[in-house]
Amino acid sequence: MKKLLVALILPSLTGCLSTIVNIDNQPQSTTPSVMTMQPTVVDNTEMPIVADMDEESQEEAREQYVFSPSKHHKQLNDYVEQLALSLSDSLVASETPTIAVSSFVELNHSLQSTNQLGNQLSEGLLQALQRFGFVTIDFKVMDNIKIAGEGDFSFSRSLDELNKNLSADHVLSGSLIYRQQGVEIQARVVNLKNKALAASARTVVPYYVLQDIHL
């Protein structure tokens, strides 16, 4: 009787074992993954972002890492257009403010130092706001064209050559703050009469976009 039971059980066990699949021996896909862009990470340590971190802690952790893509199509003008669009959303178009644009300054104790980036931002925003329908004032234009041996000039930074009466009722300017991942740009439009804030916007321009700009 025992021999008969053993004979009946063994085939059943053999059938069960034959259904077991060894996962480790499954064939792996040979299709290569396609990467459109491989960013270069300056610090090879894994970014310490934890799911239960609050937003401020996550932002501080991200700022410890700087990413520089090998290929990109971003230009400073893209960020200027974003700033202009954000500012125009806050401005009341019906009031048709006349806006003068000054250089963006480094955020320090004097607020009197700027660089190529600060001047390029003012030039770009002057044009961008005009395209959005606002009246922009270029106060660096002289009342007369200055003719010299080197060329003919209509711009100046000399107070003696410029009109002292500024016809703009608002001014657009802002500050440059140097973060680890890029330059934070704080822009604002201020009413010159009562110093009231009419619009504000913020963006961060990565350093890899500013490689050709003197900071």
Side-chain angles (χ1 to χ4, degrees):
M1 185 65 180
K2 291 183 179 179
K3 291 182 179 181
L4 179 60
L5 289 175
V6 172
L8 293 174
I9 292 173
L10 284 177
S12 300
L13 291 176
T14 304
C16 293
L17 291 174
S18 63
T19 62
I20 297 176
V21 179
N22 188 348
I23 297 176
D24 294 336
N25 293 329
Q26 285 185 343
Q28 300 294 325
S29 174
T30 57
T31 304
S33 59
V34 179
M35 295 294 290
T36 57
M37 182 174 63
Q38 282 285 356
T40 301
V41 184
V42 175
D43 191 333
N44 292 325
T45 308
E46 185 179 355
M47 184 179 293
I49 300 298
V50 181
D52 58 357
M53 278 185 177
D54 56 29
E55 291 184 4
E56 183 177 356
S57 299
Q58 290 188 17
E59 182 65 22
E60 291 177 357
R62 288 190 185 96
E63 289 181 358
Q64 298 176 6
Y65 295 84
V66 180
F67 295 91
S68 179
S70 57
K71 293 182 180 180
H72 70 90
H73 302 284
K74 284 289 187 179
Q75 297 180 354
L76 178 61
N77 189 57
D78 297 328
Y79 296 88
V80 171
E81 293 286 342
Q82 293 175 12
L83 283 172
L85 183 61
S86 298
L87 291 170
S88 64
D89 288 342
S90 300
L91 292 171
V92 180
S94 59
E95 294 181 358
T96 59
T98 54
I99 304 173
V101 185
S102 63
S103 301
F104 281 59
V105 298
E106 296 176 341
L107 188 62
N108 53 29
H109 66 284
S110 68
L111 296 178
Q112 295 292 310
S113 57
T114 188
N115 51 33
Q116 185 179 349
L117 174 60
N119 289 323
Q120 284 195 28
L121 287 171
S122 65
E123 291 291 330
L125 286 166
L126 180 73
Q127 301 172 30
L129 285 178
Q130 187 272 333
R131 290 196 298 272
F132 286 145
F134 294 94
V135 179
T136 54
I137 305 297
D138 195 340
F139 53 85
K140 295 185 292 296
V141 176
M142 297 184 292
D143 292 335
N144 299 292
I145 298 175
K146 182 179 180 179
I147 301 175
E150 300 83 3
D152 309 320
F153 305 99
S154 58
F155 297 106
S156 176
R157 291 187 182 277
S158 172
L159 291 177
D160 296 333
E161 297 176 329
L162 297 175
N163 192 329
K164 304 297 189 299
N165 297 318
L166 184 62
S167 56
D169 49 42
H170 287 72
V171 61
L172 165 60
S173 188
S175 58
L176 308 174
I177 307 171
Y178 299 98
R179 304 296 189 189
Q180 189 164 358
Q181 77 276 26
V183 180
E184 179 180 338
I185 299 169
Q186 299 276 2
R188 53 187 174 270
V189 179
V190 178
N191 188 315
L192 287 172
K193 295 180 180 179
N194 56 17
K195 305 301 185 277
L197 187 65
S200 62
R202 171 191 175 276
T203 190
V204 176
V205 184
Y207 285 119
Y208 62 79
V209 177
L210 304 173
Q211 290 180 355
D212 299 327
I213 297 179
H214 177 68
L215 299 178

